[in-house]
């Protein structure tokens, strides 16, 4: 009962907080930051999510939909693949960052869900610490085919790590731009 009360209170808070804003401005998207997983898998089970989070989330999303917010994205680190069907059931449109070191593979996610899920990220951030050839391999192995299929925003699978050579980061960004401009 306590967990239900906490989730309902939080949903009520989000609705109350955003109502005056939505009466003035309709955002292009709403982003939810959850971090519901780690390298080994989900921190909560799909059953727990369904029992305690599904209805409060539905109320919040319905609130935003009533104001015609068009797009919803969820951020969760880690190996979150078992929760993706629940996010889609709620009506989430996209997800990021798809952490490679946690076993998330955007090519497999795209194959499984098609364009039902907008994929944002999925490029191994660790490759930026390596050589330009390594960066090329990572980017060319994923970005062109993902862009061709649509519903993809090229990005790293998390924030760039300290110690990445600035030259490598610039090279990576220029490579992404070059590929996207061709498309």
């Amino acid at each position: 009962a306590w967990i239900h009360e906490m989730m309902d209170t939080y949903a009520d808070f989000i609705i109350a907080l955003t109502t005056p804003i939505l009466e003035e401005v309709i955002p292009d998207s709403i982003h939810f930051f959850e971090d519901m997983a780690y390298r080994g898998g989900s921190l909560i089970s799909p059953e727990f999510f369904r029992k305690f989070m599904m209805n409060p989330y539905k109320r919040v999303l319905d609130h935003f939909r009533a104001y015609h917010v068009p797009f919803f994205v969820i951020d969760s680190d880690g190996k979150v693949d078992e929760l993706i069907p629940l996010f889609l059931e709620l009506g989430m449109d996209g997800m990021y960052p798809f952490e490679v070191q946690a076993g998330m593979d955007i090519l497999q996610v795209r194959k499984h869900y098609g364009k039902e899920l907008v994929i944002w990220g999925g490029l191994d951030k660790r490759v930026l610490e390596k050589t330009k050839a390594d960066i090329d391999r990572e980017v060319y192995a994923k970005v062109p085919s993902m862009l061709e299929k649509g519903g993809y925003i090229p990005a790293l699978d998390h924030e760039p790590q300290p110690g990445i050579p600035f030259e490598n980061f610039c090279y990576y960004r220029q490579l992404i731009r070059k590929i996207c401009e061709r498309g």
Side-chain angles (χ1 to χ4, degrees):
W2 184 50
I3 295 172
H4 282 296
E5 181 182 345
M6 285 191 307
M7 294 305 299
D8 287 337
T9 299
Y10 190 55
D12 292 341
F13 172 74
I14 291 170
I15 290 168
L17 179 70
T18 60
T19 296
I21 297 166
L22 293 169
E23 290 173 358
E24 298 292 326
V25 176
I26 305 301
D28 293 330
S29 63
I30 299 290
H31 296 238
F32 297 90
F33 296 87
E34 290 290 0
D35 285 347
M36 289 194 217
Y38 71 109
R39 186 179 199 157
S42 299
L43 295 168
I44 60 172
S45 69
E47 295 78 20
F48 183 96
F49 184 94
R50 185 172 296 288
K51 181 175 182 177
F52 295 106
M53 299 179 76
M54 190 69 101
N55 287 335
Y57 247 116
K58 185 174 177 347
R59 283 195 312 115
V60 169
L61 289 171
D62 287 347
H63 163 71
F64 288 129
R65 285 187 187 104
Y67 284 93
H68 307 288
V69 174
F71 195 74
F72 303 98
V73 179
I74 191 152
D75 171 312
S76 182
D77 297 342
K79 187 166 180 52
V80 72
D81 50 352
E82 69 180 346
L83 297 176
I84 293 173
L86 296 169
F87 298 148
L88 290 172
E89 185 179 330
L90 277 170
M92 293 287 181
D93 300 293
M95 190 175 166
Y96 62 96
F98 294 95
E99 281 190 287
V100 175
Q101 67 185 1
M104 296 303 298
D105 181 339
I106 58 173
L107 298 172
Q108 290 302 312
V109 172
R110 171 60 73 232
K111 186 177 179 181
H112 190 267
Y113 293 103
K115 288 167 80 174
E116 185 179 3
L117 178 68
V118 172
I119 295 172
W120 180 351
L123 298 175
D124 192 346
K125 65 186 168 290
R126 300 169 298 175
V127 78
L128 296 184
E129 297 172 336
K130 299 179 181 178
T131 68
K132 290 179 182 171
D134 292 318
I135 296 169
D136 283 345
R137 271 190 295 283
E138 175 70 8
V139 169
Y140 280 110
K142 297 175 181 176
V143 174
S145 67
M146 291 294 291
L147 288 174
E148 183 180 305
K149 293 173 182 137
Y152 176 62
I153 301 169
L156 295 175
D157 65 350
H158 212 282
E159 299 298 322
Q161 300 301 297
I164 291 173
F166 184 65
E167 179 182 343
N168 283 10
F169 184 79
C170 291
Y171 179 81
Y172 153 75
R173 291 301 307 147
Q174 290 166 354
L175 183 58
I176 293 293
R177 183 176 184 170
K178 180 175 95 174
I179 292 169
C180 289
E181 287 177 349
R182 272 194 241 159

